[in-house]
Amino acid sequence: GAVVSQHPSWVICKSGTSVKIECRSLDFQATTMFWYRQFPKQSLMLMATSNEGSKATYEQGVEKDKFLINHASLTLSTLTVTSAHPEDSSFYICSATFKERRGDTQYFGPGTRLTVL
Amino acid sequence: RKEVEQDPGPFNVPEGATVAFNCTYSNSASQSFFWYRQDCRKEPKLLMSVYSSGNEDGRFTAQLNRASQYISLLIRDSKLSDSATYLCVVTPTDSWGKLQFGAGTQVVVTP
């Protein structure tokens, strides 16, 4: 199956710093990548949809100036959490897909666990 | 009301037993349905898609009831390795690729 990697797998940072998370599709070109966030005991919540070469589409309630998404190539999308605060501590997961047909399978990255002190 | 609701469990299941649980969804126009499995501190992994006619994959059987807006997952002959959180996932009709996740049902298979 398709493989998606994320880097770093975990990060601890001080409040006020910015953190960049990379999501890469390793063996296919991802036309669309999604970014999710999951708090403990809660469901994955979609944050934004990212299409290569265009601006990301953010879900309601997600601050686009705080969560910067860049999808510069068909194999790489980055999420930057700017001025991170303890409430941003969460499990961030990306997924990637390609449009063979509507409703195609999403391939998930292993996730990045962010802890903001 | 949450768009996808699940009983969080945990469902404690003796090894070899059968366990079943449901998930309800609020959008009657939802198009696709899936069960994902998520192990502790890991990413979700697709377990199976759910079709209107019901489908089976080995020890796992999924059913869809559109009239009552729920899907179910049944695990037969439970293995210790089946211990995980099972996520119900629904796709809305108006947004390609978007997945709506339930919070998951935890299953613990005991020896």
Side-chain angles (χ1 to χ4, degrees), chain A residues 45-92:
Chain A
M45 296 299 296
L46 180 64
M47 299 175 66
T49 302
S50 172
N51 292 298
E52 184 264 340
S54 62
K55 289 184 178 180
T57 303
Y58 290 81
E59 295 300 300
Q60 193 172 13
V62 178
E63 300 173 57
K64 62 180 181 181
D65 294 331
K66 180 169 181 64
F67 298 99
L68 302 178
I69 292 173
N70 184 284
H71 193 161
S73 76
L74 284 171
T75 59
L76 173 63
S77 176
T78 60
L79 167 68
T80 301
V81 183
T82 62
S83 186
H85 288 94
E87 58 266 29
D88 298 323
S89 298
S90 187
F91 190 44
Y92 292 85

mmCIF file of all heavy atoms in Angstrom, chain A residues 45-92:
data_model
loop_
_atom_site.group_PDB
_atom_site.id
_atom_site.type_symbol
_atom_site.label_atom_id
_atom_site.label_comp_id
_atom_site.label_asym_id
_atom_site.label_seq_id
_atom_site.Cartn_x
_atom_site.Cartn_y
_atom_site.Cartn_z
ATOM 1 N N MET A 45 -10.109 15.337 14.198
ATOM 2 C CA MET A 45 -10.833 16.481 13.670
ATOM 3 C C MET A 45 -10.065 17.039 12.482
ATOM 4 O O MET A 45 -8.882 17.362 12.611
ATOM 5 C CB MET A 45 -11.009 17.553 14.745
ATOM 6 C CG MET A 45 -11.861 17.116 15.916
ATOM 7 S SD MET A 45 -13.554 16.680 15.452
ATOM 8 C CE MET A 45 -14.147 18.241 14.857
ATOM 9 N N LEU A 46 -10.735 17.150 11.367
ATOM 10 C CA LEU A 46 -10.089 17.708 10.186
ATOM 11 C C LEU A 46 -9.815 19.187 10.413
ATOM 12 O O LEU A 46 -10.697 19.942 10.800
ATOM 13 C CB LEU A 46 -10.995 17.525 8.970
ATOM 14 C CG LEU A 46 -10.452 18.064 7.645
ATOM 15 C CD1 LEU A 46 -9.195 17.311 7.226
ATOM 16 C CD2 LEU A 46 -11.516 17.955 6.550
ATOM 17 N N MET A 47 -8.573 19.574 10.167
ATOM 18 C CA MET A 47 -8.198 20.978 10.309
ATOM 19 C C MET A 47 -8.258 21.695 8.964
ATOM 20 O O MET A 47 -8.775 22.799 8.862
ATOM 21 C CB MET A 47 -6.774 21.092 10.864
ATOM 22 C CG MET A 47 -6.578 20.474 12.235
ATOM 23 S SD MET A 47 -4.864 20.533 12.741
ATOM 24 C CE MET A 47 -4.605 22.292 12.915
ATOM 25 N N ALA A 48 -7.688 21.036 7.950
ATOM 26 C CA ALA A 48 -7.602 21.710 6.654
ATOM 27 C C ALA A 48 -7.354 20.706 5.554
ATOM 28 O O ALA A 48 -6.844 19.604 5.784
ATOM 29 C CB ALA A 48 -6.488 22.752 6.677
ATOM 30 N N THR A 49 -7.731 21.113 4.364
ATOM 31 C CA THR A 49 -7.491 20.338 3.148
ATOM 32 C C THR A 49 -6.481 21.102 2.305
ATOM 33 O O THR A 49 -6.649 22.307 2.071
ATOM 34 C CB THR A 49 -8.793 20.152 2.367
ATOM 35 O OG1 THR A 49 -9.747 19.507 3.202
ATOM 36 C CG2 THR A 49 -8.557 19.311 1.119
ATOM 37 N N SER A 50 -5.485 20.403 1.846
ATOM 38 C CA SER A 50 -4.390 21.050 1.130
ATOM 39 C C SER A 50 -4.224 20.451 -0.261
ATOM 40 O O SER A 50 -4.031 19.244 -0.387
ATOM 41 C CB SER A 50 -3.100 20.864 1.941
ATOM 42 O OG SER A 50 -1.979 21.300 1.222
ATOM 43 N N ASN A 51 -4.340 21.275 -1.265
ATOM 44 C CA ASN A 51 -4.124 20.833 -2.638
ATOM 45 C C ASN A 51 -2.827 21.437 -3.159
ATOM 46 O O ASN A 51 -2.538 22.610 -2.914
ATOM 47 C CB ASN A 51 -5.283 21.258 -3.535
ATOM 48 C CG ASN A 51 -6.561 20.527 -3.185
ATOM 49 O OD1 ASN A 51 -6.639 19.322 -3.277
ATOM 50 N ND2 ASN A 51 -7.564 21.278 -2.774
ATOM 51 N N GLU A 52 -2.076 20.653 -3.871
ATOM 52 C CA GLU A 52 -0.779 21.091 -4.360
ATOM 53 C C GLU A 52 -0.911 22.348 -5.204
ATOM 54 O O GLU A 52 -1.749 22.410 -6.100
ATOM 55 C CB GLU A 52 -0.127 19.972 -5.173
ATOM 56 C CG GLU A 52 1.282 20.283 -5.643
ATOM 57 C CD GLU A 52 1.328 20.832 -7.052
ATOM 58 O OE1 GLU A 52 0.365 20.629 -7.797
ATOM 59 O OE2 GLU A 52 2.352 21.448 -7.405
ATOM 60 N N GLY A 53 -0.115 23.344 -4.858
ATOM 61 C CA GLY A 53 -0.074 24.572 -5.627
ATOM 62 C C GLY A 53 -1.165 25.566 -5.336
ATOM 63 O O GLY A 53 -1.235 26.613 -6.000
ATOM 64 N N SER A 54 -2.030 25.276 -4.396
ATOM 65 C CA SER A 54 -3.091 26.237 -4.077
ATOM 66 C C SER A 54 -3.199 26.411 -2.570
ATOM 67 O O SER A 54 -2.614 25.647 -1.802
ATOM 68 C CB SER A 54 -4.440 25.787 -4.663
ATOM 69 O OG SER A 54 -4.829 24.566 -4.096
ATOM 70 N N LYS A 55 -3.945 27.409 -2.180
ATOM 71 C CA LYS A 55 -4.095 27.679 -0.746
ATOM 72 C C LYS A 55 -4.922 26.582 -0.087
ATOM 73 O O LYS A 55 -5.843 26.028 -0.689
ATOM 74 C CB LYS A 55 -4.785 29.023 -0.532
ATOM 75 C CG LYS A 55 -3.918 30.224 -0.889
ATOM 76 C CD LYS A 55 -4.635 31.520 -0.548
ATOM 77 C CE LYS A 55 -3.753 32.719 -0.870
ATOM 78 N NZ LYS A 55 -4.420 34.002 -0.556
ATOM 79 N N ALA A 56 -4.605 26.337 1.163
ATOM 80 C CA ALA A 56 -5.353 25.314 1.910
ATOM 81 C C ALA A 56 -6.745 25.819 2.247
ATOM 82 O O ALA A 56 -6.974 27.023 2.398
ATOM 83 C CB ALA A 56 -4.598 24.964 3.190
ATOM 84 N N THR A 57 -7.649 24.884 2.372
ATOM 85 C CA THR A 57 -9.008 25.198 2.810
ATOM 86 C C THR A 57 -9.148 24.775 4.254
ATOM 87 O O THR A 57 -9.002 23.589 4.571
ATOM 88 C CB THR A 57 -10.039 24.440 1.950
ATOM 89 O OG1 THR A 57 -9.843 24.769 0.578
ATOM 90 C CG2 THR A 57 -11.452 24.821 2.369
ATOM 91 N N TYR A 58 -9.432 25.727 5.109
ATOM 92 C CA TYR A 58 -9.485 25.452 6.544
ATOM 93 C C TYR A 58 -10.921 25.170 6.985
ATOM 94 O O TYR A 58 -11.871 25.760 6.478
ATOM 95 C CB TYR A 58 -8.930 26.638 7.334
ATOM 96 C CG TYR A 58 -7.440 26.805 7.185
ATOM 97 C CD1 TYR A 58 -6.914 27.442 6.054
ATOM 98 C CD2 TYR A 58 -6.569 26.326 8.141
ATOM 99 C CE1 TYR A 58 -5.540 27.583 5.900
ATOM 100 C CE2 TYR A 58 -5.196 26.473 7.996
ATOM 101 C CZ TYR A 58 -4.690 27.099 6.876
ATOM 102 O OH TYR A 58 -3.332 27.234 6.738
ATOM 103 N N GLU A 59 -11.035 24.276 7.964
ATOM 104 C CA GLU A 59 -12.341 23.997 8.547
ATOM 105 C C GLU A 59 -12.731 25.134 9.490
ATOM 106 O O GLU A 59 -11.878 25.888 9.990
ATOM 107 C CB GLU A 59 -12.312 22.677 9.308
ATOM 108 C CG GLU A 59 -12.083 21.472 8.414
ATOM 109 C CD GLU A 59 -13.147 21.305 7.354
ATOM 110 O OE1 GLU A 59 -14.342 21.149 7.722
ATOM 111 O OE2 GLU A 59 -12.805 21.333 6.151
ATOM 112 N N GLN A 60 -14.010 25.223 9.719
ATOM 113 C CA GLN A 60 -14.523 26.274 10.591
ATOM 114 C C GLN A 60 -13.888 26.158 11.974
ATOM 115 O O GLN A 60 -13.784 25.061 12.532
ATOM 116 C CB GLN A 60 -16.045 26.134 10.711
ATOM 117 C CG GLN A 60 -16.731 27.329 11.315
ATOM 118 C CD GLN A 60 -18.248 27.207 11.219
ATOM 119 O OE1 GLN A 60 -18.789 26.147 10.917
ATOM 120 N NE2 GLN A 60 -18.931 28.307 11.467
ATOM 121 N N GLY A 61 -13.445 27.287 12.485
ATOM 122 C CA GLY A 61 -12.860 27.317 13.820
ATOM 123 C C GLY A 61 -11.359 27.098 13.852
ATOM 124 O O GLY A 61 -10.747 27.211 14.917
ATOM 125 N N VAL A 62 -10.757 26.802 12.711
ATOM 126 C CA VAL A 62 -9.308 26.610 12.651
ATOM 127 C C VAL A 62 -8.674 27.898 12.133
ATOM 128 O O VAL A 62 -9.020 28.364 11.045
ATOM 129 C CB VAL A 62 -8.942 25.428 11.733
ATOM 130 C CG1 VAL A 62 -7.425 25.276 11.644
ATOM 131 C CG2 VAL A 62 -9.578 24.144 12.233
ATOM 132 N N GLU A 63 -7.770 28.463 12.922
ATOM 133 C CA GLU A 63 -7.156 29.742 12.540
ATOM 134 C C GLU A 63 -6.076 29.538 11.486
ATOM 135 O O GLU A 63 -5.041 28.922 11.748
ATOM 136 C CB GLU A 63 -6.531 30.392 13.772
ATOM 137 C CG GLU A 63 -7.499 30.689 14.901
ATOM 138 C CD GLU A 63 -6.755 31.182 16.132
ATOM 139 O OE1 GLU A 63 -6.033 32.179 16.016
ATOM 140 O OE2 GLU A 63 -6.869 30.548 17.200
ATOM 141 N N LYS A 64 -6.304 30.069 10.316
ATOM 142 C CA LYS A 64 -5.344 29.866 9.231
ATOM 143 C C LYS A 64 -4.025 30.589 9.477
ATOM 144 O O LYS A 64 -2.986 30.170 8.963
ATOM 145 C CB LYS A 64 -5.943 30.300 7.894
ATOM 146 C CG LYS A 64 -6.306 31.771 7.824
ATOM 147 C CD LYS A 64 -6.893 32.093 6.463
ATOM 148 C CE LYS A 64 -7.248 33.569 6.357
ATOM 149 N NZ LYS A 64 -7.851 33.904 5.046
ATOM 150 N N ASP A 65 -4.052 31.667 10.258
ATOM 151 C CA ASP A 65 -2.809 32.388 10.536
ATOM 152 C C ASP A 65 -1.988 31.706 11.616
ATOM 153 O O ASP A 65 -0.797 31.975 11.772
ATOM 154 C CB ASP A 65 -3.117 33.825 10.969
ATOM 155 C CG ASP A 65 -3.728 34.633 9.842
ATOM 156 O OD1 ASP A 65 -3.412 34.330 8.671
ATOM 157 O OD2 ASP A 65 -4.528 35.546 10.125
ATOM 158 N N LYS A 66 -2.627 30.830 12.345
ATOM 159 C CA LYS A 66 -1.907 30.103 13.403
ATOM 160 C C LYS A 66 -1.378 28.766 12.864
ATOM 161 O O LYS A 66 -0.303 28.328 13.231
ATOM 162 C CB LYS A 66 -2.826 29.844 14.588
ATOM 163 C CG LYS A 66 -2.130 29.089 15.707
ATOM 164 C CD LYS A 66 -2.965 29.067 16.968
ATOM 165 C CE LYS A 66 -2.203 28.328 18.058
ATOM 166 N NZ LYS A 66 -0.963 29.029 18.436
ATOM 167 N N PHE A 67 -2.152 28.152 12.015
ATOM 168 C CA PHE A 67 -1.771 26.852 11.449
ATOM 169 C C PHE A 67 -1.499 27.063 9.954
ATOM 170 O O PHE A 67 -2.407 26.992 9.128
ATOM 171 C CB PHE A 67 -2.869 25.823 11.675
ATOM 172 C CG PHE A 67 -3.153 25.558 13.124
ATOM 173 C CD1 PHE A 67 -4.230 26.174 13.756
ATOM 174 C CD2 PHE A 67 -2.340 24.714 13.868
ATOM 175 C CE1 PHE A 67 -4.490 25.942 15.100
ATOM 176 C CE2 PHE A 67 -2.595 24.476 15.213
ATOM 177 C CZ PHE A 67 -3.670 25.089 15.831
ATOM 178 N N LEU A 68 -0.230 27.309 9.652
ATOM 179 C CA LEU A 68 0.149 27.612 8.274
ATOM 180 C C LEU A 68 0.415 26.322 7.511
ATOM 181 O O LEU A 68 1.198 25.489 7.950
ATOM 182 C CB LEU A 68 1.401 28.495 8.263
ATOM 183 C CG LEU A 68 1.279 29.826 9.009
ATOM 184 C CD1 LEU A 68 2.602 30.572 8.952
ATOM 185 C CD2 LEU A 68 0.168 30.678 8.439
ATOM 186 N N ILE A 69 -0.244 26.183 6.384
ATOM 187 C CA ILE A 69 -0.081 24.977 5.580
ATOM 188 C C ILE A 69 0.499 25.342 4.233
ATOM 189 O O ILE A 69 0.019 26.260 3.563
ATOM 190 C CB ILE A 69 -1.426 24.246 5.428
ATOM 191 C CG1 ILE A 69 -1.862 23.681 6.776
ATOM 192 C CG2 ILE A 69 -1.323 23.142 4.375
ATOM 193 C CD1 ILE A 69 -3.246 23.086 6.784
ATOM 194 N N ASN A 70 1.519 24.587 3.854
ATOM 195 C CA ASN A 70 2.154 24.772 2.555
ATOM 196 C C ASN A 70 2.210 23.440 1.847
ATOM 197 O O ASN A 70 2.637 22.438 2.416
ATOM 198 C CB ASN A 70 3.569 25.343 2.743
ATOM 199 C CG ASN A 70 4.233 25.634 1.420
ATOM 200 O OD1 ASN A 70 4.686 24.735 0.725
ATOM 201 N ND2 ASN A 70 4.261 26.892 1.055
ATOM 202 N N HIS A 71 1.765 23.428 0.609
ATOM 203 C CA HIS A 71 1.759 22.182 -0.178
ATOM 204 C C HIS A 71 2.474 22.482 -1.482
ATOM 205 O O HIS A 71 1.857 22.620 -2.536
ATOM 206 C CB HIS A 71 0.300 21.748 -0.406
ATOM 207 C CG HIS A 71 0.169 20.343 -0.912
ATOM 208 N ND1 HIS A 71 -1.018 19.656 -0.811
ATOM 209 C CD2 HIS A 71 1.030 19.500 -1.513
ATOM 210 C CE1 HIS A 71 -0.880 18.454 -1.337
ATOM 211 N NE2 HIS A 71 0.366 18.337 -1.769
ATOM 212 N N ALA A 72 3.802 22.574 -1.372
ATOM 213 C CA ALA A 72 4.591 23.077 -2.494
ATOM 214 C C ALA A 72 4.798 22.050 -3.598
ATOM 215 O O ALA A 72 5.073 22.410 -4.746
ATOM 216 C CB ALA A 72 5.939 23.567 -1.979
ATOM 217 N N SER A 73 4.684 20.786 -3.261
ATOM 218 C CA SER A 73 4.893 19.764 -4.285
ATOM 219 C C SER A 73 3.885 18.643 -4.097
ATOM 220 O O SER A 73 3.153 18.611 -3.104
ATOM 221 C CB SER A 73 6.316 19.199 -4.191
ATOM 222 O OG SER A 73 6.424 18.298 -3.101
ATOM 223 N N LEU A 74 3.856 17.729 -5.039
ATOM 224 C CA LEU A 74 2.888 16.627 -4.977
ATOM 225 C C LEU A 74 3.268 15.576 -3.947
ATOM 226 O O LEU A 74 2.524 14.613 -3.754
ATOM 227 C CB LEU A 74 2.742 15.978 -6.361
ATOM 228 C CG LEU A 74 1.916 16.772 -7.356
ATOM 229 C CD1 LEU A 74 2.014 16.155 -8.744
ATOM 230 C CD2 LEU A 74 0.447 16.832 -6.931
ATOM 231 N N THR A 75 4.409 15.739 -3.317
ATOM 232 C CA THR A 75 4.808 14.747 -2.322
ATOM 233 C C THR A 75 5.065 15.341 -0.943
ATOM 234 O O THR A 75 5.433 14.617 -0.023
ATOM 235 C CB THR A 75 6.089 14.008 -2.766
ATOM 236 O OG1 THR A 75 7.135 14.963 -2.950
ATOM 237 C CG2 THR A 75 5.852 13.240 -4.059
ATOM 238 N N LEU A 76 4.866 16.632 -0.785
ATOM 239 C CA LEU A 76 5.194 17.253 0.495
ATOM 240 C C LEU A 76 4.189 18.328 0.879
ATOM 241 O O LEU A 76 3.880 19.225 0.091
ATOM 242 C CB LEU A 76 6.585 17.885 0.437
ATOM 243 C CG LEU A 76 7.024 18.719 1.653
ATOM 244 C CD1 LEU A 76 7.111 17.844 2.900
ATOM 245 C CD2 LEU A 76 8.343 19.418 1.376
ATOM 246 N N SER A 77 3.682 18.219 2.090
ATOM 247 C CA SER A 77 2.887 19.284 2.684
ATOM 248 C C SER A 77 3.450 19.549 4.071
ATOM 249 O O SER A 77 3.899 18.620 4.750
ATOM 250 C CB SER A 77 1.415 18.881 2.788
ATOM 251 O OG SER A 77 0.653 19.874 3.452
ATOM 252 N N THR A 78 3.463 20.801 4.483
ATOM 253 C CA THR A 78 3.946 21.138 5.818
ATOM 254 C C THR A 78 2.885 21.899 6.590
ATOM 255 O O THR A 78 2.105 22.673 6.016
ATOM 256 C CB THR A 78 5.227 21.995 5.771
ATOM 257 O OG1 THR A 78 4.947 23.221 5.076
ATOM 258 C CG2 THR A 78 6.347 21.256 5.073
ATOM 259 N N LEU A 79 2.849 21.640 7.882
ATOM 260 C CA LEU A 79 1.964 22.349 8.809
ATOM 261 C C LEU A 79 2.860 23.044 9.821
ATOM 262 O O LEU A 79 3.687 22.396 10.469
ATOM 263 C CB LEU A 79 1.026 21.376 9.520
ATOM 264 C CG LEU A 79 0.261 21.914 10.729
ATOM 265 C CD1 LEU A 79 -0.769 22.949 10.298
ATOM 266 C CD2 LEU A 79 -0.445 20.779 11.485
ATOM 267 N N THR A 80 2.743 24.339 9.932
ATOM 268 C CA THR A 80 3.506 25.088 10.920
ATOM 269 C C THR A 80 2.560 25.628 11.971
ATOM 270 O O THR A 80 1.628 26.374 11.639
ATOM 271 C CB THR A 80 4.276 26.249 10.271
ATOM 272 O OG1 THR A 80 5.175 25.737 9.283
ATOM 273 C CG2 THR A 80 5.082 27.010 11.323
ATOM 274 N N VAL A 81 2.789 25.227 13.210
ATOM 275 C CA VAL A 81 2.019 25.760 14.326
ATOM 276 C C VAL A 81 2.780 26.976 14.829
ATOM 277 O O VAL A 81 3.881 26.850 15.383
ATOM 278 C CB VAL A 81 1.863 24.712 15.447
ATOM 279 C CG1 VAL A 81 0.983 25.263 16.567
ATOM 280 C CG2 VAL A 81 1.281 23.419 14.888
ATOM 281 N N THR A 82 2.239 28.137 14.601
ATOM 282 C CA THR A 82 2.946 29.367 14.974
ATOM 283 C C THR A 82 2.589 29.773 16.396
ATOM 284 O O THR A 82 1.452 29.578 16.848
ATOM 285 C CB THR A 82 2.587 30.513 14.024
ATOM 286 O OG1 THR A 82 1.183 30.775 14.117
ATOM 287 C CG2 THR A 82 2.942 30.156 12.588
ATOM 288 N N SER A 83 3.591 30.277 17.105
ATOM 289 C CA SER A 83 3.401 30.738 18.483
ATOM 290 C C SER A 83 2.589 29.717 19.278
ATOM 291 O O SER A 83 1.482 30.010 19.762
ATOM 292 C CB SER A 83 2.709 32.105 18.493
ATOM 293 O OG SER A 83 2.649 32.634 19.803
ATOM 294 N N ALA A 84 3.144 28.532 19.366
ATOM 295 C CA ALA A 84 2.416 27.434 20.003
ATOM 296 C C ALA A 84 2.187 27.693 21.485
ATOM 297 O O ALA A 84 3.029 28.286 22.163
ATOM 298 C CB ALA A 84 3.185 26.139 19.803
ATOM 299 N N HIS A 85 1.040 27.248 21.963
ATOM 300 C CA HIS A 85 0.692 27.352 23.378
ATOM 301 C C HIS A 85 0.289 25.975 23.885
ATOM 302 O O HIS A 85 -0.007 25.077 23.093
ATOM 303 C CB HIS A 85 -0.435 28.369 23.574
ATOM 304 C CG HIS A 85 0.030 29.779 23.382
ATOM 305 N ND1 HIS A 85 -0.077 30.442 22.177
ATOM 306 C CD2 HIS A 85 0.641 30.647 24.219
ATOM 307 C CE1 HIS A 85 0.423 31.649 22.293
ATOM 308 N NE2 HIS A 85 0.877 31.797 23.519
ATOM 309 N N PRO A 86 0.264 25.795 25.201
ATOM 310 C CA PRO A 86 -0.056 24.468 25.748
ATOM 311 C C PRO A 86 -1.348 23.867 25.205
ATOM 312 O O PRO A 86 -1.426 22.647 25.031
ATOM 313 C CB PRO A 86 -0.135 24.737 27.259
ATOM 314 C CG PRO A 86 0.833 25.842 27.483
ATOM 315 C CD PRO A 86 0.702 26.741 26.270
ATOM 316 N N GLU A 87 -2.324 24.690 24.903
ATOM 317 C CA GLU A 87 -3.590 24.145 24.379
ATOM 318 C C GLU A 87 -3.457 23.598 22.958
ATOM 319 O O GLU A 87 -4.373 22.937 22.450
ATOM 320 C CB GLU A 87 -4.698 25.203 24.426
ATOM 321 C CG GLU A 87 -4.400 26.477 23.654
ATOM 322 C CD GLU A 87 -3.793 27.560 24.516
ATOM 323 O OE1 GLU A 87 -3.102 27.231 25.511
ATOM 324 O OE2 GLU A 87 -3.999 28.750 24.190
ATOM 325 N N ASP A 88 -2.319 23.871 22.314
ATOM 326 C CA ASP A 88 -2.060 23.302 20.981
ATOM 327 C C ASP A 88 -1.455 21.901 21.077
ATOM 328 O O ASP A 88 -1.276 21.231 20.041
ATOM 329 C CB ASP A 88 -1.111 24.207 20.192
ATOM 330 C CG ASP A 88 -1.689 25.583 19.938
ATOM 331 O OD1 ASP A 88 -2.913 25.675 19.692
ATOM 332 O OD2 ASP A 88 -0.926 26.576 19.995
ATOM 333 N N SER A 89 -1.118 21.484 22.279
ATOM 334 C CA SER A 89 -0.571 20.138 22.464
ATOM 335 C C SER A 89 -1.598 19.123 21.990
ATOM 336 O O SER A 89 -2.742 19.119 22.464
ATOM 337 C CB SER A 89 -0.237 19.898 23.946
ATOM 338 O OG SER A 89 0.747 20.809 24.391
ATOM 339 N N SER A 90 -1.184 18.283 21.071
ATOM 340 C CA SER A 90 -2.131 17.344 20.471
ATOM 341 C C SER A 90 -1.366 16.367 19.584
ATOM 342 O O SER A 90 -0.145 16.445 19.448
ATOM 343 C CB SER A 90 -3.165 18.119 19.636
ATOM 344 O OG SER A 90 -4.190 17.269 19.169
ATOM 345 N N PHE A 91 -2.106 15.454 18.996
ATOM 346 C CA PHE A 91 -1.567 14.498 18.032
ATOM 347 C C PHE A 91 -1.990 14.995 16.650
ATOM 348 O O PHE A 91 -3.192 15.083 16.367
ATOM 349 C CB PHE A 91 -2.152 13.117 18.341
ATOM 350 C CG PHE A 91 -1.526 11.973 17.601
ATOM 351 C CD1 PHE A 91 -0.153 11.874 17.463
ATOM 352 C CD2 PHE A 91 -2.313 10.963 17.076
ATOM 353 C CE1 PHE A 91 0.433 10.800 16.800
ATOM 354 C CE2 PHE A 91 -1.739 9.880 16.412
ATOM 355 C CZ PHE A 91 -0.372 9.794 16.277
ATOM 356 N N TYR A 92 -1.032 15.361 15.835
ATOM 357 C CA TYR A 92 -1.327 15.892 14.507
ATOM 358 C C TYR A 92 -1.041 14.801 13.482
ATOM 359 O O TYR A 92 0.054 14.229 13.446
ATOM 360 C CB TYR A 92 -0.481 17.135 14.222
ATOM 361 C CG TYR A 92 -0.872 18.319 15.084
ATOM 362 C CD1 TYR A 92 -0.340 18.474 16.355
ATOM 363 C CD2 TYR A 92 -1.795 19.258 14.632
ATOM 364 C CE1 TYR A 92 -0.717 19.546 17.165
ATOM 365 C CE2 TYR A 92 -2.177 20.328 15.419
ATOM 366 C CZ TYR A 92 -1.629 20.469 16.690
ATOM 367 O OH TYR A 92 -2.010 21.524 17.487
#
